[in-house]
Amino acid sequence: MSYLTLQHYWWAIISLLAALLVFLMFVQGGQTLIYRLGKTSNERTMIVNALGRKWEFTFTTLVTFGGALFASFPLFYSTSFGGAYWAWMALLFAFIIQAVSYEFRSRPSNFLGKRTFDVFLFVNGLLGTVLLGVVVGTFFNGANFSVSNMNLSQWENPAHGLEAVLTFSNVALGLAIFFLARVLSLLYFMNSIDHETIFRNAKKQLLYNTIPFLVFFLYFVVRLLLIKGFAYDPKTFEVSMEPYKYLHNFLQMPVVLIIFLVGVVGVLWGIISSLLKDKTNGIWYAGIGTVLTIFALMLVAGYNNTCCYPSNFDLQSSLTIVNSSSSKYTLTVMSYVSLMLPFVLAYIWYAWKAINREKITESEITGEGEGHVY
Amino acid sequence: MNELLDLSLVDWSRAQFALTAMYHWLFVPLTLGITFILAIMETIYVKTGNPEWKKITKFWMKVFGINFAIGVATGIILEFEFGTNWSTYSWFVGDIFGAPLAIEGIMAFFMESTFIAVMFFGWEKVSKRFHLVSTWLTALGANLSALWILVANGWMQFPVGMQFNPDTARNEMVNFWDVFLSPVATSKFLHTIFSGFELASIFVIGISAWYILKKREVIFARKSILVSAVFGLISSVFVIGFGHFSTQQVAYHQPMKLAAMEGLYQGKNGPGLIAMGVLSTKQSDPEYKQLKNFLFRVEIPRGLSLLAYFNTTQFMPGIKDLLNGNSEHNILSAPEKIVRGKEAIQLLKDYKMALDNGNADEATQLRAKFMSDDFQKNYFKYFGYGYLKSPTDLIPSIPMVFYSFRIMVMLGTYFVFFFLFAFLWVTRGTLDKKKWFLRLAIITMPLAYIASMSGWTLAEVGRQPWVIQDLLPTVAAVSHINASAVQVTFWLFAFVFTLLLIAEVKIMAKQIKIGPKDGGH
């Protein structure tokens, strides 16, 4: 494979990991709904246990996303993490407190009390989704950094990443992901918990969360199609602003457009079918739809000679999949490793099915069975 | 690469990374070992069908679950701190260092997190055999993740399989197998995981000893001790073997670290090994204030030479040889290395300047000079030295390195006997009567953690001032952020980690108190 093909291949892998991460953030969305859906202690425990069997997948995907970005686009990694310090640190804090909360919340002598760990889960659900969306928003809207001729990046804003929340479009993407995560979690609960009250509450909440999701998502997408984008000349690598760049990207890459549209339809169908009928399989449509939609959006951010991490401070410092990637050798080695991904996805699928064969029931979490309960 | 040498920023960044790494390492070794202990116990259960073994497995699984969550929480921070606090480093070596991290995620973390879910929740949902395989795969996944991060760490101690590219101004991988199969990485990985197995064995024996002392769960405790004593005994032999291999690698590739850990100030043929010693506060040499006299030392004649090179006459350089140079043994002085490093840095800058100014011919010439064998071997080799201010910057903290090595080795030796006697007495059925040993087993638990932490202190403090040996000093690797920002996050991490540690210890203690009977899942 040529160097350029490898760079495209690796941007696709990064995009796929980001897409899977957003889908798996249904765990975070669900964490913000524990008290809204569960009115009794048992109901809340059922919800927490439904999420608790999946939190490590989200966590692992986030770690793998970080590792893969480091390996394949190290300049992107060093620029963003070293520069947008506060944004990433806030995100990381939100994840530290999540990891222990499931295991610790219902253990005797847990020192901080069950409620504290439930608050930790809520904070993780809120900050984790919104901040991730805000940071990904900067992939389209740009960030304040410069890159020297030694390829060393320098953040040019003293807020070190917090300034990203001043761009409404970034926040809109953050909120869209937050409400999408909640929608996905509701569909997941409807699918995996065998409890009448939770099902009814989830269905009611589904409508309330779909509306803000659609508002923020449509705002972000419509604006994206109308704004100027950061384009570069593939021969000279000069960066310039191109009107309707992202619209052009969709039109010039019809396959990506189709993936995007199929994804959006999938999400909408998953929601609508669950709202109109008492369907429990909406999570599959909406889940696959989410993966396709985010995958397409990430491709639009980096493909077709577009700057995947634009600089608002110095246009020519903008990062592309070409100037921020690892060497050809490393990308090749990593490509061999990536061949394991289908195998990994297959065993996750198999194990997931084995665990989810039966729905979560009240008797399971009240200790009548011998399963592990959070 | 970084011209900003803000020491406060560097110190706080180091402190933050050390804090995170140490908290992380409080939990990881137990995970590495106890997952295998669980797998062995469950295998016995599946083979024998004895429900007692299922109860034993499930109890230790619960203990593992409490420990695992906090290990994960601290682990994610470490991965991202490479970017947030060491961004120059991330660029300078990301082409090589990033790959193991990504492989770790794809190959190990998913395996661990997938099968851990089956292990915890699958008792009634999957077949016995599938559950057992899942437990083994969880252990394998946990240890595979250790493999990749230790390959990365091994590369930092002994950078191989790469070539500096002046166009991108970074090191690039040219041979994956050299990185993966580096003897430093291999010995580090094996020494580390087997030490984790030892720690987990000591942990299980210690808790089980407490039950016997309390006359509770005696059969459960004896069975747990039997499995752990065998596992620990085998592991302790490997720890010593690979520890020896690791020390040899240090002798070959990090002579300054070896000289510091052995208190070898002046090089000689066939130096002795200091078995025990106490450093005084008095300077040994007016020129180098870091070098302190010994109050006393017990030395094994020619031991160091024998240990590192299997002969009694090998010349081994001391700290002064490495700083002042030694022409007889072809050792360049540190000032000379600094001059050569500065020349390498300047040539890279000149090349970049020529490119920026559009002087293509000059750029071509400079590049050719930079890439020539002579320049690579005699100048670029010392690239990192160009960022040092003084030759004495090259001396790591001698007391920390010297004592941590001895604490680790002495405890490691003790653990072999500890496992041996635990095994002998539990098989003979006399362990219950040896109350002093049972009490000793409880005291041994914190000693295992001290030994483990000492090992990492030796490895990481010993390689200072380098973040990548000879290529990138720590001061040049740091992110350009305010020291105050790092201070804030340092204290936040310190607070949150401590809070979670207290919670973890309290939960663990309560769970142990409840015991296996009422603590079923």
Side-chain angles (χ1 to χ4, degrees), chain A residues 345-371:
Chain A
L345 290 174
Y347 74 62
I348 291 175
W349 181 271
Y350 182 75
W352 196 323
K353 275 196 81 168
I355 298 290
N356 276 29
R357 204 167 290 147
E358 289 160 34
K359 291 189 177 197
I360 290 174
T361 60
E362 204 151 0
S363 66
E364 186 180 345
I365 57 96
T366 47
E368 288 165 34
E370 56 172 338

mmCIF file of all heavy atoms in Angstrom, chain A residues 345-371:
data_model
loop_
_atom_site.group_PDB
_atom_site.id
_atom_site.type_symbol
_atom_site.label_atom_id
_atom_site.label_comp_id
_atom_site.label_asym_id
_atom_site.label_seq_id
_atom_site.Cartn_x
_atom_site.Cartn_y
_atom_site.Cartn_z
ATOM 1 N N LEU A 345 -13.723 -7.950 17.404
ATOM 2 C CA LEU A 345 -15.154 -7.624 17.374
ATOM 3 C C LEU A 345 -15.993 -8.900 17.439
ATOM 4 O O LEU A 345 -17.035 -8.929 18.091
ATOM 5 C CB LEU A 345 -15.494 -6.832 16.110
ATOM 6 C CG LEU A 345 -14.932 -5.406 16.081
ATOM 7 C CD1 LEU A 345 -15.192 -4.752 14.726
ATOM 8 C CD2 LEU A 345 -15.530 -4.546 17.193
ATOM 9 N N ALA A 346 -15.498 -9.977 16.798
ATOM 10 C CA ALA A 346 -16.249 -11.231 16.779
ATOM 11 C C ALA A 346 -16.340 -11.829 18.174
ATOM 12 O O ALA A 346 -17.409 -12.274 18.607
ATOM 13 C CB ALA A 346 -15.589 -12.220 15.813
ATOM 14 N N TYR A 347 -15.207 -11.824 18.921
ATOM 15 C CA TYR A 347 -15.310 -12.448 20.250
ATOM 16 C C TYR A 347 -16.087 -11.573 21.225
ATOM 17 O O TYR A 347 -16.733 -12.076 22.141
ATOM 18 C CB TYR A 347 -13.963 -12.962 20.773
ATOM 19 C CG TYR A 347 -12.932 -11.975 21.269
ATOM 20 C CD1 TYR A 347 -13.164 -11.151 22.358
ATOM 21 C CD2 TYR A 347 -11.666 -11.924 20.677
ATOM 22 C CE1 TYR A 347 -12.196 -10.286 22.817
ATOM 23 C CE2 TYR A 347 -10.683 -11.069 21.137
ATOM 24 C CZ TYR A 347 -10.959 -10.238 22.201
ATOM 25 O OH TYR A 347 -9.998 -9.386 22.670
ATOM 26 N N ILE A 348 -16.017 -10.247 21.015
ATOM 27 C CA ILE A 348 -16.834 -9.366 21.866
ATOM 28 C C ILE A 348 -18.310 -9.691 21.628
ATOM 29 O O ILE A 348 -19.101 -9.834 22.559
ATOM 30 C CB ILE A 348 -16.548 -7.878 21.559
ATOM 31 C CG1 ILE A 348 -15.143 -7.507 22.029
ATOM 32 C CG2 ILE A 348 -17.597 -6.979 22.230
ATOM 33 C CD1 ILE A 348 -14.711 -6.106 21.665
ATOM 34 N N TRP A 349 -18.652 -9.811 20.356
ATOM 35 C CA TRP A 349 -20.036 -10.116 19.962
ATOM 36 C C TRP A 349 -20.497 -11.433 20.597
ATOM 37 O O TRP A 349 -21.570 -11.525 21.171
ATOM 38 C CB TRP A 349 -20.099 -10.191 18.431
ATOM 39 C CG TRP A 349 -21.456 -10.469 17.892
ATOM 40 C CD1 TRP A 349 -22.021 -11.684 17.650
ATOM 41 C CD2 TRP A 349 -22.439 -9.495 17.531
ATOM 42 N NE1 TRP A 349 -23.280 -11.538 17.156
ATOM 43 C CE2 TRP A 349 -23.577 -10.210 17.065
ATOM 44 C CE3 TRP A 349 -22.458 -8.100 17.538
ATOM 45 C CZ2 TRP A 349 -24.722 -9.568 16.624
ATOM 46 C CZ3 TRP A 349 -23.604 -7.467 17.092
ATOM 47 C CH2 TRP A 349 -24.718 -8.188 16.652
ATOM 48 N N TYR A 350 -19.636 -12.420 20.499
ATOM 49 C CA TYR A 350 -19.973 -13.754 21.008
ATOM 50 C C TYR A 350 -20.171 -13.720 22.519
ATOM 51 O O TYR A 350 -21.169 -14.221 23.052
ATOM 52 C CB TYR A 350 -18.846 -14.726 20.626
ATOM 53 C CG TYR A 350 -19.097 -16.142 21.066
ATOM 54 C CD1 TYR A 350 -20.025 -16.937 20.395
ATOM 55 C CD2 TYR A 350 -18.414 -16.686 22.151
ATOM 56 C CE1 TYR A 350 -20.265 -18.243 20.792
ATOM 57 C CE2 TYR A 350 -18.648 -17.987 22.560
ATOM 58 C CZ TYR A 350 -19.578 -18.762 21.878
ATOM 59 O OH TYR A 350 -19.818 -20.042 22.282
ATOM 60 N N ALA A 351 -19.214 -13.085 23.207
ATOM 61 C CA ALA A 351 -19.291 -13.030 24.671
ATOM 62 C C ALA A 351 -20.502 -12.202 25.105
ATOM 63 O O ALA A 351 -21.214 -12.558 26.047
ATOM 64 C CB ALA A 351 -18.012 -12.421 25.237
ATOM 65 N N TRP A 352 -20.724 -11.107 24.394
ATOM 66 C CA TRP A 352 -21.846 -10.218 24.701
ATOM 67 C C TRP A 352 -23.164 -10.983 24.591
ATOM 68 O O TRP A 352 -24.048 -10.894 25.436
ATOM 69 C CB TRP A 352 -21.796 -9.033 23.733
ATOM 70 C CG TRP A 352 -22.616 -7.847 24.124
ATOM 71 C CD1 TRP A 352 -23.836 -7.859 24.724
ATOM 72 C CD2 TRP A 352 -22.267 -6.474 23.955
ATOM 73 N NE1 TRP A 352 -24.267 -6.590 24.925
ATOM 74 C CE2 TRP A 352 -23.336 -5.711 24.457
ATOM 75 C CE3 TRP A 352 -21.178 -5.806 23.400
ATOM 76 C CZ2 TRP A 352 -23.330 -4.320 24.428
ATOM 77 C CZ3 TRP A 352 -21.184 -4.422 23.374
ATOM 78 C CH2 TRP A 352 -22.232 -3.695 23.878
ATOM 79 N N LYS A 353 -23.277 -11.754 23.512
ATOM 80 C CA LYS A 353 -24.512 -12.530 23.301
ATOM 81 C C LYS A 353 -24.704 -13.567 24.405
ATOM 82 O O LYS A 353 -25.813 -13.786 24.894
ATOM 83 C CB LYS A 353 -24.461 -13.231 21.939
ATOM 84 C CG LYS A 353 -24.916 -12.342 20.806
ATOM 85 C CD LYS A 353 -25.228 -13.133 19.572
ATOM 86 C CE LYS A 353 -26.612 -13.723 19.667
ATOM 87 N NZ LYS A 353 -27.085 -14.254 18.396
ATOM 88 N N ALA A 354 -23.590 -14.163 24.796
ATOM 89 C CA ALA A 354 -23.673 -15.191 25.837
ATOM 90 C C ALA A 354 -24.177 -14.596 27.151
ATOM 91 O O ALA A 354 -24.976 -15.203 27.864
ATOM 92 C CB ALA A 354 -22.299 -15.828 26.043
ATOM 93 N N ILE A 355 -23.724 -13.405 27.454
ATOM 94 C CA ILE A 355 -24.121 -12.753 28.711
ATOM 95 C C ILE A 355 -25.554 -12.230 28.617
ATOM 96 O O ILE A 355 -26.304 -12.237 29.590
ATOM 97 C CB ILE A 355 -23.165 -11.565 29.005
ATOM 98 C CG1 ILE A 355 -21.748 -12.060 29.192
ATOM 99 C CG2 ILE A 355 -23.611 -10.777 30.226
ATOM 100 C CD1 ILE A 355 -21.534 -12.827 30.440
ATOM 101 N N ASN A 356 -25.920 -11.745 27.426
ATOM 102 C CA ASN A 356 -27.223 -11.085 27.270
ATOM 103 C C ASN A 356 -28.338 -12.030 26.835
ATOM 104 O O ASN A 356 -29.407 -11.571 26.451
ATOM 105 C CB ASN A 356 -27.117 -9.959 26.224
ATOM 106 C CG ASN A 356 -26.604 -8.687 26.848
ATOM 107 O OD1 ASN A 356 -25.860 -8.750 27.816
ATOM 108 N ND2 ASN A 356 -27.003 -7.560 26.322
ATOM 109 N N ARG A 357 -28.042 -13.325 26.858
ATOM 110 C CA ARG A 357 -29.033 -14.274 26.358
ATOM 111 C C ARG A 357 -30.367 -14.087 27.080
ATOM 112 O O ARG A 357 -31.415 -14.159 26.506
ATOM 113 C CB ARG A 357 -28.502 -15.700 26.546
ATOM 114 C CG ARG A 357 -29.135 -16.671 25.589
ATOM 115 C CD ARG A 357 -28.370 -17.980 25.591
ATOM 116 N NE ARG A 357 -27.056 -17.862 24.974
ATOM 117 C CZ ARG A 357 -25.986 -18.560 25.345
ATOM 118 N NH1 ARG A 357 -26.050 -19.390 26.346
ATOM 119 N NH2 ARG A 357 -24.836 -18.414 24.722
ATOM 120 N N GLU A 358 -30.290 -13.828 28.362
ATOM 121 C CA GLU A 358 -31.526 -13.579 29.118
ATOM 122 C C GLU A 358 -31.512 -12.146 29.626
ATOM 123 O O GLU A 358 -30.460 -11.610 29.943
ATOM 124 C CB GLU A 358 -31.590 -14.533 30.316
ATOM 125 C CG GLU A 358 -31.841 -15.962 29.911
ATOM 126 C CD GLU A 358 -31.426 -16.934 30.998
ATOM 127 O OE1 GLU A 358 -31.566 -16.574 32.179
ATOM 128 O OE2 GLU A 358 -30.942 -18.012 30.648
ATOM 129 N N LYS A 359 -32.700 -11.579 29.711
ATOM 130 C CA LYS A 359 -32.803 -10.205 30.184
ATOM 131 C C LYS A 359 -32.522 -10.142 31.687
ATOM 132 O O LYS A 359 -32.663 -11.134 32.397
ATOM 133 C CB LYS A 359 -34.206 -9.667 29.904
ATOM 134 C CG LYS A 359 -34.472 -9.460 28.431
ATOM 135 C CD LYS A 359 -35.775 -8.724 28.217
ATOM 136 C CE LYS A 359 -35.966 -8.479 26.731
ATOM 137 N NZ LYS A 359 -36.957 -7.462 26.463
ATOM 138 N N ILE A 360 -32.161 -8.932 32.129
ATOM 139 C CA ILE A 360 -31.927 -8.741 33.559
ATOM 140 C C ILE A 360 -33.271 -8.717 34.275
ATOM 141 O O ILE A 360 -34.200 -8.014 33.864
ATOM 142 C CB ILE A 360 -31.156 -7.426 33.786
ATOM 143 C CG1 ILE A 360 -29.734 -7.590 33.265
ATOM 144 C CG2 ILE A 360 -31.174 -7.021 35.257
ATOM 145 C CD1 ILE A 360 -28.919 -6.344 33.289
ATOM 146 N N THR A 361 -33.373 -9.486 35.326
ATOM 147 C CA THR A 361 -34.628 -9.540 36.071
ATOM 148 C C THR A 361 -34.389 -9.102 37.505
ATOM 149 O O THR A 361 -33.253 -9.034 37.965
ATOM 150 C CB THR A 361 -35.188 -10.976 36.090
ATOM 151 O OG1 THR A 361 -34.203 -11.807 36.720
ATOM 152 C CG2 THR A 361 -35.482 -11.496 34.704
ATOM 153 N N GLU A 362 -35.510 -8.816 38.174
ATOM 154 C CA GLU A 362 -35.418 -8.360 39.549
ATOM 155 C C GLU A 362 -34.783 -9.439 40.444
ATOM 156 O O GLU A 362 -33.990 -9.139 41.315
ATOM 157 C CB GLU A 362 -36.813 -7.996 40.064
ATOM 158 C CG GLU A 362 -36.775 -7.010 41.193
ATOM 159 C CD GLU A 362 -38.019 -6.143 41.248
ATOM 160 O OE1 GLU A 362 -38.908 -6.314 40.396
ATOM 161 O OE2 GLU A 362 -38.078 -5.297 42.146
ATOM 162 N N SER A 363 -35.159 -10.718 40.177
ATOM 163 C CA SER A 363 -34.644 -11.788 41.044
ATOM 164 C C SER A 363 -33.127 -11.915 40.898
ATOM 165 O O SER A 363 -32.421 -12.224 41.854
ATOM 166 C CB SER A 363 -35.319 -13.109 40.702
ATOM 167 O OG SER A 363 -34.963 -13.515 39.403
ATOM 168 N N GLU A 364 -32.614 -11.616 39.708
ATOM 169 C CA GLU A 364 -31.169 -11.751 39.480
ATOM 170 C C GLU A 364 -30.382 -10.759 40.348
ATOM 171 O O GLU A 364 -29.348 -11.095 40.913
ATOM 172 C CB GLU A 364 -30.862 -11.517 37.998
ATOM 173 C CG GLU A 364 -29.417 -11.788 37.640
ATOM 174 C CD GLU A 364 -29.121 -11.557 36.170
ATOM 175 O OE1 GLU A 364 -30.066 -11.463 35.375
ATOM 176 O OE2 GLU A 364 -27.928 -11.449 35.835
ATOM 177 N N ILE A 365 -30.923 -9.550 40.450
ATOM 178 C CA ILE A 365 -30.136 -8.531 41.161
ATOM 179 C C ILE A 365 -30.453 -8.470 42.653
ATOM 180 O O ILE A 365 -29.773 -7.791 43.411
ATOM 181 C CB ILE A 365 -30.286 -7.128 40.515
ATOM 182 C CG1 ILE A 365 -31.756 -6.686 40.465
ATOM 183 C CG2 ILE A 365 -29.690 -7.100 39.138
ATOM 184 C CD1 ILE A 365 -32.147 -5.834 41.574
ATOM 185 N N THR A 366 -31.489 -9.173 43.066
ATOM 186 C CA THR A 366 -31.751 -9.169 44.513
ATOM 187 C C THR A 366 -31.002 -10.307 45.204
ATOM 188 O O THR A 366 -31.206 -10.585 46.373
ATOM 189 C CB THR A 366 -33.256 -9.280 44.812
ATOM 190 O OG1 THR A 366 -33.784 -10.333 44.010
ATOM 191 C CG2 THR A 366 -33.988 -7.997 44.525
ATOM 192 N N GLY A 367 -30.143 -10.985 44.432
ATOM 193 C CA GLY A 367 -29.240 -11.950 45.061
ATOM 194 C C GLY A 367 -29.761 -13.359 45.119
ATOM 195 O O GLY A 367 -29.166 -14.206 45.767
ATOM 196 N N GLU A 368 -30.886 -13.612 44.418
ATOM 197 C CA GLU A 368 -31.392 -14.979 44.437
ATOM 198 C C GLU A 368 -30.539 -15.883 43.554
ATOM 199 O O GLU A 368 -30.447 -17.063 43.761
ATOM 200 C CB GLU A 368 -32.858 -15.004 43.983
ATOM 201 C CG GLU A 368 -33.780 -14.420 45.052
ATOM 202 C CD GLU A 368 -35.155 -14.087 44.513
ATOM 203 O OE1 GLU A 368 -35.630 -14.808 43.623
ATOM 204 O OE2 GLU A 368 -35.745 -13.099 44.978
ATOM 205 N N GLY A 369 -29.935 -15.284 42.533
ATOM 206 C CA GLY A 369 -29.036 -16.056 41.678
ATOM 207 C C GLY A 369 -27.627 -15.978 42.244
ATOM 208 O O GLY A 369 -27.427 -15.538 43.374
ATOM 209 N N GLU A 370 -26.646 -16.407 41.447
ATOM 210 C CA GLU A 370 -25.282 -16.338 41.966
ATOM 211 C C GLU A 370 -24.397 -15.440 41.106
ATOM 212 O O GLU A 370 -23.193 -15.558 41.089
ATOM 213 C CB GLU A 370 -24.683 -17.743 42.107
ATOM 214 C CG GLU A 370 -24.673 -18.559 40.847
ATOM 215 C CD GLU A 370 -23.893 -19.855 41.032
ATOM 216 O OE1 GLU A 370 -23.056 -19.913 41.931
ATOM 217 O OE2 GLU A 370 -24.133 -20.785 40.260
ATOM 218 N N GLY A 371 -25.044 -14.528 40.373
ATOM 219 C CA GLY A 371 -24.265 -13.606 39.537
ATOM 220 C C GLY A 371 -23.656 -12.492 40.370
ATOM 221 O O GLY A 371 -23.996 -12.294 41.525
#
